[in-house]
Amino acid sequence: MGRPLTVLVIDDSATNRRTLTTLLESSNEVMVLDWAGDGEEGLKKVLDLKPDVVTLDLEMPRLGGHTFLRLLMRASPTPVIVISSYAHKSDVFKALELGAFDFIAKPPRITPETLELLRRELLDKVFAARHVKSGGRHGAALRSAVFSGEAPQVIAVGASTGGPPAVQRLLEGLASEPTASVLVSQHMPSQFTRAFAERLDRIGPFTVTEACDGDVVAPGHVYIAPGGRHMVLTERAGRMELRTPGPVPADKYAPSVDRLFESAAEVLGSRAVAVVLTGMGADGAQGVRSVRREGGETWAESEDTAVVFGMPKEAIATGAVTRVLALDAIGTELALLVGRRRQAAGQ
């Protein structure tokens, strides 16, 4: 075994600091170097101790979490996992845009069961930080075009760790073709997916909503799979609709990227487009096989830009991925593809 991963815990609650330290050090592969009770102290300790990973509470005295992230990412970019309550959803997405690696939602009630779930999620994300690459900052696109009434080109997107900013950048690149319809399966707790959709709706060129069962897929619309449920594409009476079934015990992820991609392959055939962005695990690998068997387009984010090159790597390893692109190129290339298909259809 190599050297343990080192962690700095930043939280103004002594109870939370003790709990996080206990959970982290339940693995002999992790060592908590130290803790800090506010952002100012935390910034000094990060620069001095140079931990592999930082856990960060956003609501702190003296120097808040967002200011801490701005300063840290300029001075010494380090993987940061935000520990947040469900009551501060918008703060979480701002933190991700400022460079946080990922987030974990505090359980609303502390029980042995919720603590064990928190322990597993915390360790999974700390271990994933070994493979983190810092991404570039990006500005928000302006809402601009109004879609016409043609049938949309549907693009299915899967993402996990590092996904929220990556999805935003993809949509910014796709803005020149606002007739597209984008279906996003992003691994995220159920209490956060609606807030994620609302944030993208405010800052991007598309209408963005959390998907509801029975939604008719419309041009210029982005649908975010609801956390804890799947999103699948269906065809009914000549139109495309979405279904949001609940998970079954065998499902590892809900929402599942594989389920989304497989449904797109079944409904769209060779017109299916599946894109795998940054994330941990192998979700999406089986789905790209299904899309490719039908002759569809299967793209993956390159190792150069993926925050975690887990999901794209697994998809590429299947041999079913047709293009591997840097994140900033994906949206632009999707816009070109949509434009070519729209012209070929005479729309």
Side-chain angles (χ1 to χ4, degrees):
M1 186 180 73
R3 75 170 183 85
L5 279 167
T6 57
V7 182
L8 177 71
V9 174
I10 306 177
D11 199 304
D12 64 342
S13 164
T15 300
N16 289 345
R17 293 195 299 265
R18 285 193 297 269
T19 299
L20 289 171
T21 298
T22 299
L23 297 179
L24 287 162
E25 293 192 334
S26 67
S27 168
N28 58 13
E29 296 180 57
V30 176
M31 179 174 67
V32 175
L33 289 176
D34 204 347
W35 56 264
D38 60 65
E40 185 174 315
E41 180 187 16
L43 186 61
K44 291 176 182 176
K45 289 190 174 182
V46 174
L47 298 178
D48 181 43
L49 299 174
K50 301 189 185 310
D52 296 314
V53 189
V54 173
T55 69
L56 177 68
D57 179 30
L58 293 177
E59 298 291 320
M60 293 183 297
R62 298 177 68 185
L63 188 72
H66 292 147
T67 304
F68 169 89
L69 281 166
R70 287 190 188 96
L71 296 173
L72 178 65
M73 294 307 162
R74 289 177 196 152
S76 180
T78 304
V80 175
I81 300 171
V82 169
I83 312 293
S84 174
S85 71
Y86 288 117
H88 297 93
K89 303 179 185 70
S90 61
D91 291 344
V92 166
F93 296 114
K94 183 176 180 182
L96 294 174
E97 289 182 1
L98 291 171
F101 160 56
D102 207 339
F103 75 94
I104 294 173
K106 296 175 186 174
R109 290 193 310 112
I110 299 298
T111 66
E113 292 76 16
T114 60
L115 270 181
E116 175 58 18
L117 291 173
L118 177 61
R119 185 187 74 86
R120 292 178 186 174
E121 184 177 10
L122 185 60
L123 289 174
D124 281 348
K125 292 185 177 182
V126 166
F127 293 142
R130 290 173 175 148
H131 312 292
V132 170
K133 291 184 173 61
S134 58
R137 302 275 61 83
H138 53 91
L142 299 176
R143 185 182 300 276
S144 55
V146 178
F147 66 81
S148 57
E150 69 263 26
Q153 167 64 55
V154 176
I155 299 165
V157 177
S160 180
T161 302
V167 170
Q168 181 178 330
R169 287 168 70 176
L170 182 153
L171 295 178
E172 290 168 358
L174 186 57
S176 62
E177 282 292 342
T179 59
S181 180
V182 186
L183 314 180
V184 179
S185 180
Q186 163 71 55
H187 295 169
M188 189 178 287
S190 58
Q191 293 89 342
F192 285 84
T193 45
R194 179 169 294 180
F196 179 42
E198 290 171 350
R199 183 173 185 83
L200 289 176
D201 186 61
R202 288 194 299 269
I203 63 179
F206 297 90
T207 299
V208 186
T209 59
E210 184 183 54
C212 294
D213 200 70
D215 277 346
V216 176
V217 177
H221 205 119
V222 177
Y223 301 88
I224 306 297
R229 304 187 70 82
H230 301 300
M231 177 172 63
V232 297
L233 185 65
T234 64
E235 185 174 4
R236 181 172 177 267
R239 64 185 187 181
M240 288 181 284
E241 294 186 358
L242 298 176
R243 297 296 173 206
T244 57
V248 298
D251 288 331
K252 186 174 182 180
Y253 304 104
S256 162
V257 179
D258 282 330
R259 291 278 295 270
L260 172 62
F261 286 2
E262 287 163 358
S263 70
E266 182 177 350
V267 172
L268 300 168
S270 63
R271 287 185 58 80
V273 180
V275 181
V276 181
L277 298 178
T278 173
M280 294 189 291
D283 195 16
Q286 187 61 44
V288 296
R289 288 192 182 98
S290 299
V291 172
R292 194 66 198 129
R293 276 196 299 268
E294 298 297 329
E297 292 279 341
T298 50
W299 298 7
E301 184 178 354
S302 72
E303 185 175 7
D304 291 339
T305 61
V307 173
V308 177
F309 191 55
M311 284 169 47
K313 181 180 179 180
E314 294 294 331
I316 294 165
T318 67
V321 170
T322 55
R323 299 190 72 181
V324 179
L325 298 164
L327 176 59
D328 285 334
I330 291 175
T332 303
E333 291 296 314
L334 285 172
L336 292 173
L337 174 65
V338 172
R340 288 194 299 268
R341 289 186 172 184
R342 185 166 49 78
Q343 290 173 3
Q347 295 177 333

